[in-house]
mmCIF file of all heavy atoms in Angstrom:
data_model
loop_
_atom_site.group_PDB
_atom_site.id
_atom_site.type_symbol
_atom_site.label_atom_id
_atom_site.label_comp_id
_atom_site.label_asym_id
_atom_site.label_seq_id
_atom_site.Cartn_x
_atom_site.Cartn_y
_atom_site.Cartn_z
ATOM 1 N N MET C 1 86.238 98.998 119.246
ATOM 2 C CA MET C 1 85.819 98.024 118.255
ATOM 3 C C MET C 1 86.502 98.345 116.901
ATOM 4 O O MET C 1 86.616 99.470 116.468
ATOM 5 C CB MET C 1 84.315 98.167 118.030
ATOM 6 C CG MET C 1 83.748 97.161 117.130
ATOM 7 S SD MET C 1 81.942 97.261 117.134
ATOM 8 C CE MET C 1 81.611 96.489 115.617
ATOM 9 N N THR C 2 87.027 97.298 116.308
ATOM 10 C CA THR C 2 87.751 97.485 115.031
ATOM 11 C C THR C 2 86.779 97.311 113.872
ATOM 12 O O THR C 2 85.851 96.534 113.910
ATOM 13 C CB THR C 2 88.899 96.485 114.873
ATOM 14 O OG1 THR C 2 88.412 95.169 114.966
ATOM 15 C CG2 THR C 2 89.948 96.709 115.980
ATOM 16 N N THR C 3 87.053 98.021 112.813
ATOM 17 C CA THR C 3 86.191 97.902 111.611
ATOM 18 C C THR C 3 86.648 96.637 110.833
ATOM 19 O O THR C 3 87.716 96.057 111.026
ATOM 20 C CB THR C 3 86.350 99.122 110.694
ATOM 21 O OG1 THR C 3 87.707 99.161 110.196
ATOM 22 C CG2 THR C 3 86.045 100.398 111.493
ATOM 23 N N LEU C 4 85.835 96.293 109.867
ATOM 24 C CA LEU C 4 86.144 95.186 109.019
ATOM 25 C C LEU C 4 87.414 95.431 108.232
ATOM 26 O O LEU C 4 88.253 94.566 108.033
ATOM 27 C CB LEU C 4 84.963 94.903 108.027
ATOM 28 C CG LEU C 4 84.990 93.655 107.252
ATOM 29 C CD1 LEU C 4 85.164 92.407 108.109
ATOM 30 C CD2 LEU C 4 83.709 93.514 106.423
ATOM 31 N N LYS C 5 87.586 96.703 107.766
ATOM 32 C CA LYS C 5 88.809 97.060 107.039
ATOM 33 C C LYS C 5 90.021 96.903 107.963
ATOM 34 O O LYS C 5 91.090 96.440 107.516
ATOM 35 C CB LYS C 5 88.709 98.457 106.485
ATOM 36 C CG LYS C 5 89.948 98.832 105.695
ATOM 37 C CD LYS C 5 89.878 100.199 105.066
ATOM 38 C CE LYS C 5 91.065 100.605 104.245
ATOM 39 N NZ LYS C 5 92.314 99.948 104.570
ATOM 40 N N ASP C 6 89.897 97.371 109.206
ATOM 41 C CA ASP C 6 91.006 97.212 110.168
ATOM 42 C C ASP C 6 91.362 95.727 110.350
ATOM 43 O O ASP C 6 92.567 95.366 110.423
ATOM 44 C CB ASP C 6 90.687 97.796 111.505
ATOM 45 C CG ASP C 6 90.570 99.348 111.462
ATOM 46 O OD1 ASP C 6 91.161 99.944 110.565
ATOM 47 O OD2 ASP C 6 89.924 99.884 112.366
ATOM 48 N N GLN C 7 90.330 94.893 110.462
ATOM 49 C CA GLN C 7 90.562 93.497 110.660
ATOM 50 C C GLN C 7 91.272 92.890 109.434
ATOM 51 O O GLN C 7 92.178 92.074 109.582
ATOM 52 C CB GLN C 7 89.244 92.754 110.898
ATOM 53 C CG GLN C 7 88.602 93.083 112.239
ATOM 54 C CD GLN C 7 87.280 92.359 112.391
ATOM 55 O OE1 GLN C 7 87.004 91.336 111.785
ATOM 56 N NE2 GLN C 7 86.438 92.994 113.242
ATOM 57 N N LEU C 8 90.828 93.309 108.256
ATOM 58 C CA LEU C 8 91.452 92.774 107.062
ATOM 59 C C LEU C 8 92.875 93.265 106.900
ATOM 60 O O LEU C 8 93.799 92.493 106.567
ATOM 61 C CB LEU C 8 90.618 93.238 105.804
ATOM 62 C CG LEU C 8 91.080 92.681 104.483
ATOM 63 C CD1 LEU C 8 91.135 91.178 104.444
ATOM 64 C CD2 LEU C 8 90.180 93.185 103.383
ATOM 65 N N ASP C 9 93.141 94.538 107.226
ATOM 66 C CA ASP C 9 94.519 95.028 107.174
ATOM 67 C C ASP C 9 95.438 94.283 108.169
ATOM 68 O O ASP C 9 96.511 93.923 107.800
ATOM 69 C CB ASP C 9 94.539 96.540 107.527
ATOM 70 C CG ASP C 9 93.976 97.416 106.420
ATOM 71 O OD1 ASP C 9 93.806 96.931 105.279
ATOM 72 O OD2 ASP C 9 93.646 98.583 106.705
ATOM 73 N N ASN C 10 94.915 94.038 109.351
ATOM 74 C CA ASN C 10 95.688 93.295 110.337
ATOM 75 C C ASN C 10 95.986 91.854 109.890
ATOM 76 O O ASN C 10 97.077 91.346 110.041
ATOM 77 C CB ASN C 10 94.940 93.308 111.717
ATOM 78 C CG ASN C 10 95.793 92.719 112.824
ATOM 79 O OD1 ASN C 10 96.920 93.083 112.961
ATOM 80 N ND2 ASN C 10 95.201 91.876 113.555
ATOM 81 N N CYS C 11 94.904 91.251 109.326
ATOM 82 C CA CYS C 11 95.099 89.873 108.827
ATOM 83 C C CYS C 11 96.148 89.808 107.669
ATOM 84 O O CYS C 11 96.965 88.908 107.661
ATOM 85 C CB CYS C 11 93.729 89.350 108.363
ATOM 86 S SG CYS C 11 93.803 87.676 107.750
ATOM 87 N N GLN C 12 96.066 90.827 106.792
ATOM 88 C CA GLN C 12 97.063 90.847 105.705
ATOM 89 C C GLN C 12 98.477 90.969 106.240
ATOM 90 O O GLN C 12 99.389 90.328 105.750
ATOM 91 C CB GLN C 12 96.791 92.067 104.801
ATOM 92 C CG GLN C 12 95.440 92.027 104.046
ATOM 93 C CD GLN C 12 95.591 91.319 102.763
ATOM 94 O OE1 GLN C 12 95.320 90.108 102.681
ATOM 95 N NE2 GLN C 12 95.991 92.000 101.711
ATOM 96 N N TYR C 13 98.623 91.849 107.261
ATOM 97 C CA TYR C 13 99.971 91.984 107.891
ATOM 98 C C TYR C 13 100.431 90.695 108.523
ATOM 99 O O TYR C 13 101.605 90.272 108.288
ATOM 100 C CB TYR C 13 99.884 93.112 108.933
ATOM 101 C CG TYR C 13 101.076 93.219 109.782
ATOM 102 C CD1 TYR C 13 102.261 93.833 109.313
ATOM 103 C CD2 TYR C 13 101.116 92.708 111.098
ATOM 104 C CE1 TYR C 13 103.397 93.912 110.092
ATOM 105 C CE2 TYR C 13 102.243 92.775 111.879
ATOM 106 C CZ TYR C 13 103.358 93.402 111.391
ATOM 107 O OH TYR C 13 104.514 93.489 112.184
ATOM 108 N N LEU C 14 99.573 90.079 109.282
ATOM 109 C CA LEU C 14 99.955 88.810 109.937
ATOM 110 C C LEU C 14 100.233 87.697 108.899
ATOM 111 O O LEU C 14 101.112 86.878 109.075
ATOM 112 C CB LEU C 14 98.843 88.398 110.901
ATOM 113 C CG LEU C 14 98.707 89.270 112.144
ATOM 114 C CD1 LEU C 14 97.450 88.935 112.924
ATOM 115 C CD2 LEU C 14 99.974 89.283 112.998
ATOM 116 N N LEU C 15 99.441 87.689 107.854
ATOM 117 C CA LEU C 15 99.658 86.716 106.772
ATOM 118 C C LEU C 15 101.035 86.861 106.122
ATOM 119 O O LEU C 15 101.786 85.944 105.882
ATOM 120 C CB LEU C 15 98.572 86.840 105.735
ATOM 121 C CG LEU C 15 98.632 85.906 104.554
ATOM 122 C CD1 LEU C 15 98.649 84.402 104.917
ATOM 123 C CD2 LEU C 15 97.436 86.163 103.585
ATOM 124 N N ALA C 16 101.378 88.154 105.842
ATOM 125 C CA ALA C 16 102.683 88.457 105.279
ATOM 126 C C ALA C 16 103.827 88.007 106.250
ATOM 127 O O ALA C 16 104.857 87.454 105.811
ATOM 128 C CB ALA C 16 102.812 89.915 104.963
ATOM 129 N N ARG C 17 103.621 88.254 107.492
ATOM 130 C CA ARG C 17 104.667 87.872 108.504
ATOM 131 C C ARG C 17 104.785 86.325 108.587
ATOM 132 O O ARG C 17 105.905 85.813 108.675
ATOM 133 C CB ARG C 17 104.262 88.377 109.918
ATOM 134 C CG ARG C 17 104.252 89.910 110.026
ATOM 135 C CD ARG C 17 105.560 90.500 110.197
ATOM 136 N NE ARG C 17 106.260 89.838 111.335
ATOM 137 C CZ ARG C 17 107.139 90.413 112.093
ATOM 138 N NH1 ARG C 17 107.476 91.636 111.872
ATOM 139 N NH2 ARG C 17 107.677 89.761 113.073
ATOM 140 N N ALA C 18 103.651 85.637 108.521
ATOM 141 C CA ALA C 18 103.683 84.186 108.530
ATOM 142 C C ALA C 18 104.406 83.636 107.317
ATOM 143 O O ALA C 18 105.140 82.674 107.412
ATOM 144 C CB ALA C 18 102.237 83.636 108.652
ATOM 145 N N ARG C 19 104.175 84.269 106.166
ATOM 146 C CA ARG C 19 104.857 83.799 104.948
ATOM 147 C C ARG C 19 106.348 84.004 105.063
ATOM 148 O O ARG C 19 107.140 83.153 104.660
ATOM 149 C CB ARG C 19 104.294 84.573 103.720
ATOM 150 C CG ARG C 19 102.962 84.053 103.279
ATOM 151 C CD ARG C 19 102.516 84.724 102.045
ATOM 152 N NE ARG C 19 101.189 84.196 101.570
ATOM 153 C CZ ARG C 19 100.236 84.949 101.072
ATOM 154 N NH1 ARG C 19 100.377 86.252 100.929
ATOM 155 N NH2 ARG C 19 99.117 84.335 100.728
ATOM 156 N N LEU C 20 106.752 85.162 105.587
ATOM 157 C CA LEU C 20 108.190 85.458 105.754
ATOM 158 C C LEU C 20 108.847 84.454 106.734
ATOM 159 O O LEU C 20 109.967 84.039 106.554
ATOM 160 C CB LEU C 20 108.377 86.886 106.263
ATOM 161 C CG LEU C 20 108.163 87.993 105.230
ATOM 162 C CD1 LEU C 20 108.249 89.314 105.918
ATOM 163 C CD2 LEU C 20 109.175 87.909 104.155
ATOM 164 N N ALA C 21 108.067 84.091 107.742
ATOM 165 C CA ALA C 21 108.588 83.138 108.743
ATOM 166 C C ALA C 21 108.562 81.705 108.312
ATOM 167 O O ALA C 21 109.141 80.829 108.905
ATOM 168 C CB ALA C 21 107.794 83.331 110.028
ATOM 169 N N GLY C 22 107.841 81.461 107.174
ATOM 170 C CA GLY C 22 107.734 80.087 106.640
ATOM 171 C C GLY C 22 106.806 79.237 107.524
ATOM 172 O O GLY C 22 106.922 77.986 107.477
ATOM 173 N N ASP C 23 105.913 79.862 108.239
ATOM 174 C CA ASP C 23 104.970 79.101 109.074
ATOM 175 C C ASP C 23 103.711 78.716 108.256
ATOM 176 O O ASP C 23 102.737 79.455 108.147
ATOM 177 C CB ASP C 23 104.574 80.014 110.252
ATOM 178 C CG ASP C 23 103.749 79.257 111.329
ATOM 179 O OD1 ASP C 23 103.138 78.219 111.012
ATOM 180 O OD2 ASP C 23 103.661 79.791 112.422
ATOM 181 N N ASP C 24 103.754 77.535 107.704
ATOM 182 C CA ASP C 24 102.669 77.059 106.819
ATOM 183 C C ASP C 24 101.337 76.970 107.540
ATOM 184 O O ASP C 24 100.315 77.357 106.922
ATOM 185 C CB ASP C 24 103.013 75.693 106.210
ATOM 186 C CG ASP C 24 104.237 75.817 105.258
ATOM 187 O OD1 ASP C 24 104.459 76.859 104.702
ATOM 188 O OD2 ASP C 24 104.878 74.698 105.036
ATOM 189 N N ASP C 25 101.313 76.569 108.778
ATOM 190 C CA ASP C 25 100.065 76.470 109.480
ATOM 191 C C ASP C 25 99.429 77.833 109.702
ATOM 192 O O ASP C 25 98.244 78.015 109.498
ATOM 193 C CB ASP C 25 100.288 75.773 110.857
ATOM 194 C CG ASP C 25 98.980 75.524 111.562
ATOM 195 O OD1 ASP C 25 98.054 74.959 110.928
ATOM 196 O OD2 ASP C 25 98.861 75.902 112.793
ATOM 197 N N ALA C 26 100.212 78.840 110.096
ATOM 198 C CA ALA C 26 99.716 80.203 110.242
ATOM 199 C C ALA C 26 99.326 80.776 108.896
ATOM 200 O O ALA C 26 98.247 81.469 108.830
ATOM 201 C CB ALA C 26 100.790 81.075 110.860
ATOM 202 N N VAL C 27 100.019 80.502 107.823
ATOM 203 C CA VAL C 27 99.623 80.970 106.511
ATOM 204 C C VAL C 27 98.255 80.422 106.135
ATOM 205 O O VAL C 27 97.368 81.160 105.680
ATOM 206 C CB VAL C 27 100.689 80.589 105.426
ATOM 207 C CG1 VAL C 27 100.116 80.850 104.010
ATOM 208 C CG2 VAL C 27 101.988 81.352 105.651
ATOM 209 N N ARG C 28 98.025 79.151 106.393
ATOM 210 C CA ARG C 28 96.714 78.532 106.119
ATOM 211 C C ARG C 28 95.632 79.203 106.932
ATOM 212 O O ARG C 28 94.578 79.598 106.442
ATOM 213 C CB ARG C 28 96.775 77.034 106.422
ATOM 214 C CG ARG C 28 95.468 76.304 106.161
ATOM 215 C CD ARG C 28 95.482 74.911 106.640
ATOM 216 N NE ARG C 28 95.828 74.744 108.039
ATOM 217 C CZ ARG C 28 95.056 75.016 109.092
ATOM 218 N NH1 ARG C 28 93.808 75.462 108.898
ATOM 219 N NH2 ARG C 28 95.478 74.848 110.315
ATOM 220 N N ARG C 29 95.883 79.390 108.238
ATOM 221 C CA ARG C 29 94.853 79.993 109.142
ATOM 222 C C ARG C 29 94.528 81.393 108.711
ATOM 223 O O ARG C 29 93.343 81.791 108.640
ATOM 224 C CB ARG C 29 95.296 79.920 110.579
ATOM 225 C CG ARG C 29 95.175 78.556 111.170
ATOM 226 C CD ARG C 29 95.509 78.535 112.665
ATOM 227 N NE ARG C 29 96.972 78.615 112.844
ATOM 228 C CZ ARG C 29 97.575 79.639 113.435
ATOM 229 N NH1 ARG C 29 96.897 80.621 113.968
ATOM 230 N NH2 ARG C 29 98.896 79.660 113.568
ATOM 231 N N PHE C 30 95.538 82.213 108.437
ATOM 232 C CA PHE C 30 95.307 83.617 108.102
ATOM 233 C C PHE C 30 94.722 83.754 106.716
ATOM 234 O O PHE C 30 93.918 84.640 106.447
ATOM 235 C CB PHE C 30 96.583 84.445 108.224
ATOM 236 C CG PHE C 30 96.958 84.684 109.675
ATOM 237 C CD1 PHE C 30 98.195 84.313 110.172
ATOM 238 C CD2 PHE C 30 96.063 85.320 110.545
ATOM 239 C CE1 PHE C 30 98.534 84.576 111.493
ATOM 240 C CE2 PHE C 30 96.415 85.521 111.876
ATOM 241 C CZ PHE C 30 97.659 85.176 112.362
ATOM 242 N N SER C 31 95.067 82.812 105.810
ATOM 243 C CA SER C 31 94.465 82.786 104.472
ATOM 244 C C SER C 31 92.981 82.496 104.605
ATOM 245 O O SER C 31 92.151 83.128 103.910
ATOM 246 C CB SER C 31 95.122 81.807 103.566
ATOM 247 O OG SER C 31 96.458 82.133 103.317
ATOM 248 N N GLU C 32 92.619 81.536 105.409
ATOM 249 C CA GLU C 32 91.197 81.195 105.644
ATOM 250 C C GLU C 32 90.457 82.353 106.255
ATOM 251 O O GLU C 32 89.327 82.662 105.864
ATOM 252 C CB GLU C 32 91.096 79.950 106.462
ATOM 253 C CG GLU C 32 91.506 78.693 105.785
ATOM 254 C CD GLU C 32 91.599 77.491 106.647
ATOM 255 O OE1 GLU C 32 91.341 77.613 107.881
ATOM 256 O OE2 GLU C 32 91.900 76.383 106.121
ATOM 257 N N TYR C 33 91.052 82.998 107.248
ATOM 258 C CA TYR C 33 90.416 84.143 107.898
ATOM 259 C C TYR C 33 90.268 85.297 106.973
ATOM 260 O O TYR C 33 89.232 85.958 106.954
ATOM 261 C CB TYR C 33 91.272 84.531 109.148
ATOM 262 C CG TYR C 33 90.668 85.617 109.982
ATOM 263 C CD1 TYR C 33 89.359 85.504 110.475
ATOM 264 C CD2 TYR C 33 91.381 86.774 110.267
ATOM 265 C CE1 TYR C 33 88.815 86.515 111.256
ATOM 266 C CE2 TYR C 33 90.828 87.800 111.015
ATOM 267 C CZ TYR C 33 89.511 87.634 111.522
ATOM 268 O OH TYR C 33 88.972 88.652 112.257
ATOM 269 N N ARG C 34 91.277 85.543 106.132
ATOM 270 C CA ARG C 34 91.215 86.622 105.129
ATOM 271 C C ARG C 34 90.035 86.371 104.141
ATOM 272 O O ARG C 34 89.277 87.239 103.860
ATOM 273 C CB ARG C 34 92.512 86.691 104.375
ATOM 274 C CG ARG C 34 92.561 87.737 103.313
ATOM 275 C CD ARG C 34 93.917 87.739 102.606
ATOM 276 N NE ARG C 34 93.966 88.699 101.506
ATOM 277 C CZ ARG C 34 93.567 88.342 100.241
ATOM 278 N NH1 ARG C 34 93.151 87.163 99.968
ATOM 279 N NH2 ARG C 34 93.569 89.284 99.319
ATOM 280 N N GLU C 35 89.900 85.118 103.718
ATOM 281 C CA GLU C 35 88.770 84.745 102.838
ATOM 282 C C GLU C 35 87.417 85.025 103.503
ATOM 283 O O GLU C 35 86.520 85.573 102.864
ATOM 284 C CB GLU C 35 88.891 83.310 102.434
ATOM 285 C CG GLU C 35 87.877 82.861 101.390
ATOM 286 C CD GLU C 35 88.042 81.421 100.960
ATOM 287 O OE1 GLU C 35 89.230 80.952 100.977
ATOM 288 O OE2 GLU C 35 87.059 80.794 100.659
ATOM 289 N N LEU C 36 87.336 84.697 104.759
ATOM 290 C CA LEU C 36 86.116 84.926 105.534
ATOM 291 C C LEU C 36 85.775 86.442 105.563
ATOM 292 O O LEU C 36 84.674 86.874 105.372
ATOM 293 C CB LEU C 36 86.183 84.361 106.945
ATOM 294 C CG LEU C 36 85.050 84.661 107.874
ATOM 295 C CD1 LEU C 36 83.850 83.881 107.486
ATOM 296 C CD2 LEU C 36 85.442 84.395 109.287
ATOM 297 N N LEU C 37 86.840 87.262 105.880
ATOM 298 C CA LEU C 37 86.616 88.725 105.968
ATOM 299 C C LEU C 37 86.250 89.288 104.646
ATOM 300 O O LEU C 37 85.360 90.156 104.572
ATOM 301 C CB LEU C 37 87.934 89.352 106.482
ATOM 302 C CG LEU C 37 88.315 89.075 107.894
ATOM 303 C CD1 LEU C 37 89.667 89.640 108.199
ATOM 304 C CD2 LEU C 37 87.283 89.641 108.864
ATOM 305 N N ILE C 38 86.840 88.833 103.503
ATOM 306 C CA ILE C 38 86.450 89.303 102.190
ATOM 307 C C ILE C 38 85.006 88.953 101.866
ATOM 308 O O ILE C 38 84.280 89.775 101.347
ATOM 309 C CB ILE C 38 87.437 88.718 101.171
ATOM 310 C CG1 ILE C 38 88.813 89.396 101.337
ATOM 311 C CG2 ILE C 38 86.924 88.944 99.754
ATOM 312 C CD1 ILE C 38 89.900 88.743 100.522
ATOM 313 N N LYS C 39 84.622 87.724 102.240
ATOM 314 C CA LYS C 39 83.247 87.360 102.039
ATOM 315 C C LYS C 39 82.255 88.204 102.841
ATOM 316 O O LYS C 39 81.172 88.582 102.321
ATOM 317 C CB LYS C 39 83.006 85.849 102.337
ATOM 318 C CG LYS C 39 83.574 84.920 101.312
ATOM 319 C CD LYS C 39 83.407 83.516 101.723
ATOM 320 C CE LYS C 39 84.012 82.567 100.711
ATOM 321 N NZ LYS C 39 83.852 81.141 101.069
ATOM 322 N N GLN C 40 82.626 88.513 104.060
ATOM 323 C CA GLN C 40 81.767 89.394 104.907
ATOM 324 C C GLN C 40 81.679 90.763 104.256
ATOM 325 O O GLN C 40 80.601 91.349 104.232
ATOM 326 C CB GLN C 40 82.365 89.502 106.308
ATOM 327 C CG GLN C 40 82.159 88.327 107.182
ATOM 328 C CD GLN C 40 82.735 88.553 108.572
ATOM 329 O OE1 GLN C 40 83.530 89.383 108.816
ATOM 330 N NE2 GLN C 40 82.334 87.680 109.458
ATOM 331 N N SER C 41 82.789 91.252 103.768
ATOM 332 C CA SER C 41 82.777 92.561 103.130
ATOM 333 C C SER C 41 81.886 92.586 101.907
ATOM 334 O O SER C 41 81.107 93.497 101.717
ATOM 335 C CB SER C 41 84.209 92.975 102.780
ATOM 336 O OG SER C 41 84.209 94.202 102.099
ATOM 337 N N ALA C 42 81.966 91.569 101.093
ATOM 338 C CA ALA C 42 81.159 91.488 99.883
ATOM 339 C C ALA C 42 79.681 91.377 100.247
ATOM 340 O O ALA C 42 78.862 92.015 99.575
ATOM 341 C CB ALA C 42 81.583 90.294 99.052
ATOM 342 N N SER C 43 79.392 90.623 101.310
ATOM 343 C CA SER C 43 78.016 90.441 101.705
ATOM 344 C C SER C 43 77.458 91.828 102.220
ATOM 345 O O SER C 43 76.320 92.117 101.904
ATOM 346 C CB SER C 43 77.947 89.444 102.890
ATOM 347 O OG SER C 43 76.644 89.323 103.346
ATOM 348 N N MET C 44 78.258 92.561 102.953
ATOM 349 C CA MET C 44 77.810 93.850 103.439
ATOM 350 C C MET C 44 77.533 94.786 102.310
ATOM 351 O O MET C 44 76.552 95.557 102.254
ATOM 352 C CB MET C 44 78.833 94.441 104.378
ATOM 353 C CG MET C 44 78.887 93.762 105.750
ATOM 354 S SD MET C 44 80.181 94.352 106.789
ATOM 355 C CE MET C 44 79.643 96.016 107.091
ATOM 356 N N LYS C 45 78.434 94.809 101.273
ATOM 357 C CA LYS C 45 78.295 95.693 100.146
ATOM 358 C C LYS C 45 77.036 95.345 99.355
ATOM 359 O O LYS C 45 76.314 96.213 98.912
ATOM 360 C CB LYS C 45 79.490 95.616 99.236
ATOM 361 C CG LYS C 45 80.716 96.299 99.851
ATOM 362 C CD LYS C 45 81.940 96.170 98.974
ATOM 363 C CE LYS C 45 83.182 96.780 99.621
ATOM 364 N NZ LYS C 45 84.331 96.610 98.884
ATOM 365 N N THR C 46 76.786 94.046 99.220
ATOM 366 C CA THR C 46 75.565 93.644 98.455
ATOM 367 C C THR C 46 74.341 94.010 99.240
ATOM 368 O O THR C 46 73.374 94.525 98.677
ATOM 369 C CB THR C 46 75.575 92.070 98.311
ATOM 370 O OG1 THR C 46 76.737 91.675 97.536
ATOM 371 C CG2 THR C 46 74.344 91.573 97.595
ATOM 372 N N HIS C 47 74.344 93.802 100.555
ATOM 373 C CA HIS C 47 73.228 94.223 101.366
ATOM 374 C C HIS C 47 72.937 95.726 101.279
ATOM 375 O O HIS C 47 71.806 96.146 101.178
ATOM 376 C CB HIS C 47 73.464 93.853 102.871
ATOM 377 C CG HIS C 47 72.418 94.301 103.800
ATOM 378 N ND1 HIS C 47 71.149 93.774 103.849
ATOM 379 C CD2 HIS C 47 72.438 95.328 104.681
ATOM 380 C CE1 HIS C 47 70.465 94.390 104.720
ATOM 381 N NE2 HIS C 47 71.207 95.373 105.292
ATOM 382 N N LEU C 48 74.030 96.515 101.327
ATOM 383 C CA LEU C 48 73.814 97.981 101.241
ATOM 384 C C LEU C 48 73.298 98.409 99.930
ATOM 385 O O LEU C 48 72.525 99.378 99.844
ATOM 386 C CB LEU C 48 75.169 98.689 101.553
ATOM 387 C CG LEU C 48 75.643 98.522 103.037
ATOM 388 C CD1 LEU C 48 77.008 99.158 103.189
ATOM 389 C CD2 LEU C 48 74.675 99.183 103.957
ATOM 390 N N ARG C 49 73.627 97.707 98.844
ATOM 391 C CA ARG C 49 73.083 98.076 97.578
ATOM 392 C C ARG C 49 71.600 97.772 97.465
ATOM 393 O O ARG C 49 70.842 98.429 96.765
ATOM 394 C CB ARG C 49 73.789 97.252 96.472
ATOM 395 C CG ARG C 49 75.160 97.790 96.120
ATOM 396 C CD ARG C 49 75.730 97.088 94.928
ATOM 397 N NE ARG C 49 77.157 97.315 94.858
ATOM 398 C CZ ARG C 49 78.074 96.411 94.761
ATOM 399 N NH1 ARG C 49 77.715 95.120 94.705
ATOM 400 N NH2 ARG C 49 79.354 96.718 94.750
ATOM 401 N N LEU C 50 71.137 96.777 98.185
ATOM 402 C CA LEU C 50 69.718 96.376 98.170
ATOM 403 C C LEU C 50 68.883 97.227 99.044
ATOM 404 O O LEU C 50 67.629 97.262 98.870
ATOM 405 C CB LEU C 50 69.612 94.902 98.611
ATOM 406 C CG LEU C 50 70.260 93.874 97.671
ATOM 407 C CD1 LEU C 50 70.143 92.479 98.291
ATOM 408 C CD2 LEU C 50 69.640 93.927 96.286
ATOM 409 N N VAL C 51 69.487 97.931 99.994
ATOM 410 C CA VAL C 51 68.713 98.757 100.950
ATOM 411 C C VAL C 51 68.348 100.106 100.286
ATOM 412 O O VAL C 51 68.979 100.668 99.540
ATOM 413 C CB VAL C 51 69.494 98.957 102.254
ATOM 414 C CG1 VAL C 51 68.753 99.945 103.186
ATOM 415 C CG2 VAL C 51 69.713 97.656 102.961
#
């Protein structure tokens, strides 16, 4: 099982590759996925502060 940080690192890598390749569709998809992962991370941090 990969951690949220691992998923974000992988997404960042794939996003950079998509940008280099000029693949606008992949850039959009990985940007959206990255945003989702960041929101999940922020939600987890907020939850842990409240516990």
Side-chain angles (χ1 to χ4, degrees):
M1 184 173 160
T2 59
T3 66
L4 189 56
K5 182 178 180 338
D6 291 338
Q7 290 177 26
L8 184 56
D9 289 344
N10 188 48
C11 182
Q12 294 273 96
Y13 170 76
L14 293 171
L15 179 57
R17 297 281 304 210
R19 284 184 177 140
L20 286 173
D23 187 341
D24 294 335
D25 187 49
V27 168
R28 180 189 52 77
R29 284 184 285 117
F30 287 123
S31 294
E32 290 171 358
Y33 184 54
R34 179 180 176 271
E35 186 177 328
L36 174 73
L37 292 172
I38 290 170
K39 286 179 181 178
Q40 284 181 343
S41 176
S43 176
M44 288 176 66
K45 288 178 184 177
T46 300
H47 174 74
L48 290 174
R49 283 189 196 126
L50 296 175
V51 173

